[in-house]
Amino acid sequence: MKLHEYQSKTIFAKYGIPIPKGRVAATAVEAKHIAEELGGRVVVKSQVLVGGRGKAGGIKVAKSAAEAEQLAQQILAMEIKGLPVRKVLVDEAAAIEHEIYFAITNDRAAKKPVMIASAEGGMDIEEVAATKPEKIIKVHIDPLLGLRDYQSRDVAASIDLPREHWREFSRIAAGLWQAYLETDATLAEINPLVITKDKRLVALDGKMMIDDNALFRHADLNEMRDIDEEEPAETEARKYGLSYIKLDGNIGCMVNGAGLAMTSMDIVKLFGGSPANFLDIGGGAGSDKVSAAMKIILSDKNVKAVLFNIFGGITRCDEVARGILVAMDEVKPKVPMVVRLVGTNAEEGRKLLENAKMITAETLADAAQKAVQAAK
Amino acid sequence: MSILINKNTRLLVQGITGNEGLFHSTQMLAYGTNLVAGVTPGKGGEWVLDGKVPVFDSVKLAKEATDANCAVIFVPARFAPDAMFEAADAGIPLIVCITEGVAVQDMMRVRNYLDQKNVRLVGPNCPGMLTPGESKVGIIPGNIAIPGNVGVVSRSGTLTYEVLYALKLVGMGASTCVGIGGDPVNGTNFIDVLEMFEHDPHTEKVVLIGEIGGSDEDKAAEFIASKMTKPVVSFIAGQTAPPGKRMGHAGAIIEGGAGTAEGKVKALEAAGVKVAKHPEEIPSLLK
C-alpha cells in the first residue's frame, strides 16, 4: 500500500525526523488559509500516488497566500499520469543549500533491509544510479540486530556530509529505521533530505510503502489507504480477497494462481488476442468468490469474451463451476465464455457446466485460441 | 532417486488440525508419504487421520517422540514466522512453508536466523515438493505426475501443475518437483535446487519455471552457463504483464534493469537454455 507524501511525513515526524511546517488541503481556499498561517513563501504540492509530480507541474512555489490559492486552484484541476489531484500539501518553503537522497528498503536478493544514500539527491536519483553508481551508498542492516549507530556514521561519511551534521543525521537514520520497522514498510524514502541555508537537516519530501501482508497488525495504517486513487474494480476485488488488475484488452481472464494467470495472459497475446485483465482467484476459492470475480470481469465494458482457466489443486473445479453458474444467473452475460477445468474435481465441474452453453477446451493453448476467436 | 525428499522422509505437519492442514495431510498420507506426526498447540495427545497420526503440543515434543526430519507448515500467515522459528529451534533440518501472505520483514528475520542455524527452508507461499512414487510434501496434486528423470523447479504453484501434467500426458516423469515459492524473500532459490539436480544421478534434464520480478532467474542463468552439464528447458511467466505504477526509486536502484520477462528470457537463452513460448511446449523441447 502506497502512502501519500503528507501521510509519510506525518509518520516521519512521529519518529523525530524534522519535516517542514505545513498541512494538507482539499480546496484552494483551505490552501490559502494554511499559507496565511505559515506566512512567507510556501510550496503547493499535489498529492497523488505517482512519481514525477514536479516534472508534471504539480509542485509550485508561491510568494503569497493569494498566489498559493491561485496555484492550488490550478493544481487541484490537474491530472497527473491519469490520476486526478484531489489534495495539495501546503508546506513552508525551505532555503536549500544541498539535497541528499536517503532511504531504507528491502533488498530481496540480500534478504536484508538496506540503507541507501547519495549526496546527489533530488528528482534524478534514478539517473544517478544508472550513470554514476559509485555515488550511491548502500549499507545492509542485519534484520536480527537492527540498525547500528556506526552504520549511520559510515553512511554520513561516505556521502561527504559535513561533520557538524553527523549527529543529526544519525538521529534521522535511527528514526527512519524505527518508522520502517514499526510500520512494516517496504520503502521509507526521504528525497530530498536537505541541508538548509541555516544549517538544519529537513525531510522535504517523503514516500512510504507498507507491506499489505503486514496490515493485519496495523489497523491505523490501513485507514490511510486512499481508495480514490484505485480502479473501483480493484478495490472491489480486494474486498473479496481477489487480485485484479485492469488492462486495455478485450478478453477477460479468470485463473487460479498468479503464475498461471500471467501465463494465460501471455498465451492469449501469443495467439493474437489481448487480455482485459489479470485476475487471480487464489487457492481454495469458493463459489461466492468466483461469482464476485466474474461480476468484476464483466463490469469492464471492453470485455468481448471470457477465458476461465482453472487447474484444481487446493481449488476444487466443482466449486468454481458453481460460482460461475451463480454469477451467470445474476449477471446474464451476453459475451461468449471459454472454460477449461483440469485437476481436482474437474469431471464434476464439467458436468455442472454442461447446460450452460459455454465453449470448453482441453489444453491451455486450445483455450486461448478459442477465446481469441470468440472475441472477434 | 531424487532430491530433498524421498521414501525415508519422516514428515511432521504444523497446523495439522486446521482445515487445510487436515485436508492435505489426508492427501499426503494417501499418497504414501511417511507422515509421522502433527503439531497443534493445545491439542497434544489427540490422534488424527483415523488414529494413524499422533498430535503434539510442540515441534520439540513431536521430534523427540517420532524423530521427524522434515516439517511442513499449514498455519495462517500471522503465525507462520513463529512456526518456522519453532521448527528450526527444535532441530528440524528441512522446513517447507506452504502458507501464503507472510509479511516480508518477518521473512527477512526468519531467513537470516535459519541461515545461522544451517536449516533449509522451502517457501513460503509455495506448493511444496513431490518426488513421484515416494513422497509428497505440500499440496501438489499427486496424480498429475509420474516418476521419471526430469527435475522440475518453479516459483509458481498452479503453473507448475500445468507443466507436470503436460509432461505426464506424453509419458515423461519427474525425479523431484520443487516449488520454491514466489515471495520476494524466501528460503531455497533456483541455484540451490539446480545444484542438487546437477548432482542427482537420476535427474537427466531440468525444467525451470520462472516469472517476472527479482533477479533469481538471471542468477540461475549464470549458474547454468558456468556449472551445469545437464540440459535445462525454461518458461518465464509474465511477458505481457504491465509495469506496475511504481512509487519511490529504491526498488529500481536495487534491481537495476533486472526483473522483466524479456531480460530473463535473454539471459537464459544466452546460457544455452531453451525457453518455451508456452508451458505446453516444454515436453517437445525436452526431447
Side-chain angles (χ1 to χ4, degrees):
Chain A
M1 176 179 79
K2 297 169 181 176
L3 295 184
H4 283 295
E5 175 192 2
Y6 75 93
Q7 296 169 323
S8 307
K9 277 154 72 173
T10 306
I11 293 173
F12 290 170
K14 218 177 103 191
Y15 289 91
I17 298 169
I19 59 167
K21 278 193 199 116
R23 275 209 325 275
V24 74
T27 65
V29 176
E30 268 180 82
K32 181 180 144 202
H33 290 319
I34 297 167
E36 277 166 357
E37 277 172 44
L38 293 171
R41 288 165 65 239
V42 295
V43 193
V44 183
K45 309 175 85 176
S46 53
Q47 300 294 293
V48 282
L49 296 174
V50 288
R53 292 173 302 160
K55 283 175 198 158
I59 300 179
K60 293 266 167 64
V61 178
K63 291 186 200 71
S64 65
E67 194 185 357
E69 182 180 16
Q70 194 192 347
L71 288 173
Q73 187 99 44
Q74 276 173 27
I75 293 173
L76 284 166
M78 282 174 73
E79 258 191 23
I80 298 179
K81 295 184 184 167
L83 292 174
V85 180
R86 291 190 168 87
K87 289 183 186 120
V88 290
L89 175 63
V90 183
D91 265 357
E92 61 179 1
I96 299 166
E97 190 172 285
H98 188 73
E99 295 188 327
I100 295 163
Y101 175 89
F102 188 41
I104 296 176
T105 187
N106 304 329
D107 184 346
R108 58 190 288 172
K111 325 275 183 208
K112 283 182 173 132
V114 62
M115 190 161 48
I116 304 172
S118 173
E120 309 205 359
M123 285 196 292
D124 285 321
I125 189 70
E126 279 186 56
E127 204 184 309
V128 176
T131 57
K132 292 184 272 185
E134 73 283 357
K135 293 281 182 194
I136 306 266
I137 305 301
K138 293 182 216 164
V139 173
H140 286 102
I141 300 167
D142 185 327
L144 300 171
L145 276 179
L147 175 69
R148 318 307 301 177
D149 266 346
Y150 80 86
Q151 296 182 303
S152 310
R153 287 196 299 275
D154 282 354
V155 168
S158 305
I159 59 168
D160 297 323
L161 190 72
R163 284 200 175 127
E164 56 180 303
H165 297 301
W166 285 12
R167 190 185 294 264
E168 178 65 356
F169 182 81
S170 287
R171 231 171 47 79
I172 289 171
L176 195 65
W177 167 251
Q178 281 306 319
Y180 160 90
L181 198 65
E182 287 175 22
T183 61
D184 270 287
T186 54
L187 171 72
E189 180 185 79
I190 306 175
N191 187 31
L193 174 66
V194 301
I195 306 175
T196 61
K197 292 239 184 324
D198 57 353
K199 306 294 173 200
R200 289 177 302 126
L201 292 182
V202 180
L204 273 204
D205 197 351
K207 281 177 189 137
M208 291 190 79
M209 292 175 76
I210 309 298
D211 182 359
D212 284 316
N213 286 338
L215 286 174
F216 70 88
R217 54 190 170 211
H218 303 290
D220 51 331
L221 293 174
N222 208 3
E223 282 170 16
M224 289 186 173
R225 188 186 291 278
D226 187 351
I227 57 169
D228 284 347
E229 300 247 328
E230 296 176 344
E231 280 278 340
E234 291 175 18
T235 310
E236 180 73 7
R238 196 177 47 247
K239 229 167 57 192
Y240 290 95
L242 302 162
S243 174
Y244 171 87
I245 297 169
K246 190 184 174 317
L247 303 169
D248 301 330
N250 60 7
I251 298 175
C253 302
M254 189 198 299
V255 188
N256 62 326
L260 189 54
M262 286 193 285
T263 302
S264 304
M265 288 160 49
D266 292 349
I267 302 187
V268 162
K269 194 103 176 194
L270 185 68
F271 289 112
S274 178
N277 65 275
F278 164 93
L279 195 153
D280 171 15
I281 59 170
S287 59
D288 51 332
K289 210 166 166 177
V290 172
S291 81
M294 188 149 144
K295 284 177 210 159
I296 288 165
I297 290 176
L298 292 170
S299 72
D300 178 353
K301 296 295 164 230
N302 294 333
V303 168
K304 296 277 179 291
V306 182
L307 167 65
F308 299 88
N309 184 32
I310 305 295
F311 203 116
I314 286 190
T315 307
R316 290 165 36 192
C317 293
D318 56 328
E319 276 289 322
V320 173
R322 270 186 208 101
I324 294 174
L325 290 175
V326 169
M328 298 258 278
D329 200 43
E330 284 179 33
V331 187
K332 307 225 180 333
K334 298 194 174 58
V335 299
M337 313 246 170
V338 179
V339 62
R340 171 178 180 252
L341 302 174
V342 193
T344 312
N345 296 0
E347 237 1 270
E348 292 90 325
R350 277 184 219 129
K351 266 203 196 105
L352 281 167
L353 295 179
E354 238 163 33
N355 299 320
K357 291 189 192 133
M358 298 175 91
I359 305 162
T360 58
E362 288 296 317
T363 67
L364 202 48
D366 180 34
Q369 279 167 303
K370 282 177 173 159
V372 171
Q373 200 53 43
K376 276 181 184 161
Chain B
M1 271 261 299
S2 57
I3 63 166
L4 291 165
I5 56 165
N6 56 35
K7 55 186 186 306
N8 299 319
T9 298
R10 298 174 61 78
L11 184 69
L12 168 163
V13 179
Q14 288 174 264
I16 196 166
T17 57
N19 257 341
E20 291 199 1
L22 202 55
F23 175 77
H24 290 288
S25 294
T26 310
Q27 308 272 323
M28 289 189 282
L29 198 64
Y31 192 76
T33 305
N34 189 12
L35 206 179
V36 297
V39 172
T40 299
K43 299 210 169 166
E46 295 181 13
W47 289 76
V48 290
L49 303 175
D50 299 329
K52 289 189 195 107
V53 178
V55 182
F56 297 85
D57 281 323
S58 72
V59 178
K60 185 166 179 282
L61 291 172
K63 162 121 170 85
E64 280 167 6
T66 65
D67 202 24
N69 58 13
C70 177
V72 63
I73 295 173
F74 283 102
V75 307
R78 63 182 71 186
F79 308 119
D82 192 59
M84 288 182 263
F85 285 128
E86 186 188 355
D89 281 344
I92 302 284
L94 174 61
I95 303 171
V96 184
C97 185
I98 307 301
T99 309
E100 178 181 351
V102 181
V104 65
Q105 288 197 17
D106 281 333
M107 271 321 298
M108 291 194 288
R109 287 184 280 267
V110 167
R111 175 65 201 269
N112 281 270
Y113 186 74
L114 265 53
D115 280 355
Q116 288 175 11
K117 294 218 146 202
N118 216 2
V119 170
R120 175 164 297 286
L121 170 69
V122 176
N125 189 15
C126 78
M129 296 183 276
L130 178 69
T131 292
E134 294 195 35
S135 186
K136 160 175 143 90
V137 173
I139 62 175
I140 300 173
N143 59 357
I144 59 168
I146 52 176
N149 61 14
V150 182
V152 179
V153 59
S154 171
R155 267 172 75 184
S156 173
T158 46
L159 175 55
T160 317
Y161 307 168
E162 289 281 2
V163 173
L164 288 173
Y165 187 62
L167 290 175
K168 181 185 169 177
L169 288 180
V170 297
M172 291 175 122
S175 53
T176 298
C177 172
V178 184
I180 61 172
D183 277 5
V185 175
N186 61 358
T188 298
N189 61 34
F190 280 133
I191 294 181
D192 300 323
V193 181
L194 290 174
E195 193 168 12
M196 286 184 252
F197 280 141
E198 176 70 14
H199 292 121
D200 174 37
H202 287 80
T203 299
E204 288 174 17
K205 304 159 187 179
V206 176
V207 175
L208 182 149
I209 303 157
E211 57 188 43
I212 49 168
S215 55
D216 280 6
E217 290 81 359
D218 305 76
K219 287 183 196 144
E222 276 173 41
F223 180 85
I224 291 165
S226 61
K227 300 272 166 59
M228 281 197 75
T229 58
K230 298 177 182 176
V232 181
V233 170
S234 180
F235 174 73
I236 303 293
Q239 322 245 3
T240 53
K245 292 173 205 153
R246 196 163 45 109
M247 214 181 113
H249 304 283
I253 293 168
I254 284 299
E255 292 182 6
T260 66
E262 202 190 343
K264 287 166 196 276
V265 170
K266 250 188 210 154
L268 286 163
E269 283 179 340
V273 175
K274 287 183 199 162
V275 182
K277 285 196 190 64
H278 62 84
E280 285 158 347
E281 206 184 73
I282 288 175
S284 64
L285 294 182
L286 280 169
K287 276 177 187 157

